[in-house]
Amino acid sequence: MLLFLATIVEQLDLALAHVEKRNAHDARFGLMLIDNAVELVLHQIAKERSSRMKAHAFMRDSYAHQTAMEKALGKSFDAKVKFARIEERLDLETSGTISIMHELRNEVYHTGIQYEEILPNLAIFYLEAAAAYLGTYQPHSLWWSSSQKLPERAKKYFPGDAFMPRSADNFKDGCMAIARACGHDVAETISVLADHLDKIIEDQDTCISVVADGVYEGQQRTRDRAVIETQAWQFAFSQDGKKLAAERGWTGNMLTWVDWLADNHPFNLRRDPVASWRRQATKLRSNSNPHSALKHYYSFMIETASFRETMEESARQAEAEIDMLIDQARGK
């Protein structure tokens, strides 16, 4: 078990070496290392409970959280987080940050260009939060074999000899040392999140204006109408939109269908959201807790993702058509 603890510290120490460089590429790698270390310990918590239940099955009543434990032993990261909370080994605030950072790590690894600007700060924040949490982990048993070898990066945190590299206290001390060494600045992290939110909102403000202004004379509309019609166009050509048209027996053309949807369908946004979004960004900036600030930021990103993507596409199409008309006027 000491070797397991040493490998966790090794990963955190390597993550520290990367996130200290404060660039997006190293931050991405650091996130993967941090997240893997967290997942290994969360899985170990479930394994320990399972082992104890098997060893003393004949002495105990059935375990109330058997199903949750079994799910935690599987591949689901969320199930592992949930079970650690059930076992009272993880507080609600930290579990929220871990879950969000795991999702961000997956998005960044697969598609996440949009987070490049904030990755360095998020990686540092995650390292501090993860290291502080992992340092509270106390295994139910410790063992060490003289045939085992400490990872090189872990040796500075376990200053014993080859036969017995000290104790689990070294693990706790090592985690806390790494949490301190990363130099996380709470105010900077909150400011970076708020700045990124401001940038996203301003980009959306521009997109809504482009769509509202239209391309041809007579296409101008209010920003509220632009917001509704953009959603209506996207929905009209979706499977759900086609299904609704069939259910209503719609026989008109697509333009009138879009107009009907804009007037009658219960879209999430019925008016220009920019003013409301700016108030949210201001509220985030005034936050003093990085955990709740991250939750606020990520909730906004998830809840508005579909609309933002749709509005950006509509603005791109409008701008492309404007560019085409300009080129035609110039004889190109």
Side-chain angles (χ1 to χ4, degrees), residues 20 35 42 48 66 82 95 109 132 135 141 154-155 168 174 188 216 240 261 277 296 323 332:
E20 283 181 326
D35 203 55
L42 293 178
E48 289 175 353
Q66 182 74 23
K82 180 180 179 180
S95 72
Y109 183 75
S141 63
K155 288 181 179 179
E188 181 181 359
Y216 302 98
D240 287 340
L261 288 170
W277 287 356
H296 184 150
D323 289 342
K332 292 185 178 180

Side-chain angles (χ1 to χ4, degrees), residues 27-283:
R28 184 182 291 107
F29 187 53
L31 279 177
M32 288 188 286
L33 290 167
I34 299 163
D35 203 55
N36 182 248
V38 170
E39 185 166 7
L40 288 172
V41 171
L42 293 178
H43 188 79
Q44 185 63 27
I45 290 171
K47 280 180 64 178
E48 289 175 353
R49 167 59 72 175
S50 178
S51 295
R52 293 201 306 276
M53 295 306 299
K54 290 177 181 177
H56 303 286
F58 67 95
M59 297 174 55
R60 301 189 178 196
D61 296 330
S62 59
Y63 181 46
H65 305 292
Q66 182 74 23
T67 300
M69 181 188 71
E70 291 173 356
K71 289 181 179 179
L73 290 170
K75 295 182 179 180
S76 170
F77 186 88
D78 288 341
K80 298 180 195 301
V81 172
K82 180 180 179 180
F83 186 71
R85 285 181 53 196
I86 288 173
E87 287 283 282
E88 298 183 350
R89 307 281 285 276
L90 180 60
D91 65 85
L92 181 61
E93 187 174 72
T94 304
S95 72
T97 291
I98 286 173
S99 294
I100 291 172
M101 291 308 302
H102 178 73
E103 291 300 320
L104 279 171
R105 176 261 183 193
N106 287 337
E107 290 180 39
V108 165
Y109 183 75
H110 294 293
T111 60
I113 299 299
Q114 65 177 326
Y115 296 111
E116 295 265 315
E117 298 175 32
I118 62 175
L119 273 184
N121 285 89
L122 287 182
I124 290 172
F125 172 38
Y126 193 23
L127 180 57
E128 181 192 56
Y133 163 64
L134 295 178
T136 67
Y137 169 64
Q138 296 180 330
H140 288 278
S141 63
L142 289 173
W143 55 270
W144 175 261
S145 169
S146 60
S147 63
Q148 294 177 329
K149 293 184 179 180
L150 283 172
E152 284 300 318
R153 283 185 170 274
K155 288 181 179 179
K156 58 187 172 184
Y157 300 105
F158 290 82
D161 56 40
F163 293 99
M164 186 60 187
R166 298 301 182 187
S167 69
D169 287 340
N170 296 135
F171 172 72
K172 175 183 177 181
D173 294 341
C175 288
M176 296 309 173
I178 291 170
R180 292 190 298 270
C182 70
H184 175 234
D185 186 323
V186 171
E188 181 181 359
T189 294
I190 293 173
S191 178
V192 165
L193 290 172
D195 287 346
H196 193 233
L197 208 60
D198 282 340
K199 181 178 181 298
I200 289 170
I201 293 169
E202 293 312 308
D203 288 345
Q204 284 291 302
D205 182 43
T206 299
C207 289
I208 294 172
S209 292
V210 168
V211 175
D213 289 343
V215 177
Y216 302 98
E217 188 66 32
Q219 280 191 336
Q220 293 77 19
R221 70 214 81 174
T222 66
R223 287 171 63 94
D224 287 350
R225 189 66 183 180
V227 165
I228 297 171
E229 288 186 356
T230 296
Q231 295 172 90
W233 274 104
Q234 189 271 340
F235 181 76
F237 288 93
S238 69
Q239 291 300 317
D240 287 340
K242 294 175 181 177
K243 180 181 177 181
L244 180 61
E247 290 173 352
R248 295 188 61 82
W250 188 266
T251 58
N253 61 38
M254 188 57 71
L255 286 174
T256 56
W257 176 233
V258 169
D259 285 340
W260 186 91
L261 288 170
D263 292 335
N264 298 281
H265 192 70
F267 292 112
N268 290 333
L269 292 175
R270 299 294 302 178
R271 58 177 59 88
D272 178 3
V274 169
S276 173
W277 287 356
R278 284 175 175 155
R279 288 193 293 272
Q280 290 188 49
T282 299
K283 182 178 179 181

Side-chain angles (χ1 to χ4, degrees), residues 275-310:
S276 173
W277 287 356
R278 284 175 175 155
R279 288 193 293 272
Q280 290 188 49
T282 299
K283 182 178 179 181
L284 188 155
R285 194 177 293 279
S286 67
N287 206 322
S288 60
N289 183 327
H291 296 280
S292 60
L294 176 63
K295 180 180 179 181
H296 184 150
Y297 167 86
Y298 195 61
S299 293
F300 175 89
M301 295 296 287
I302 294 300
E303 291 169 5
T304 65
S306 179
F307 172 80
R308 289 187 289 110
E309 183 178 352
T310 299

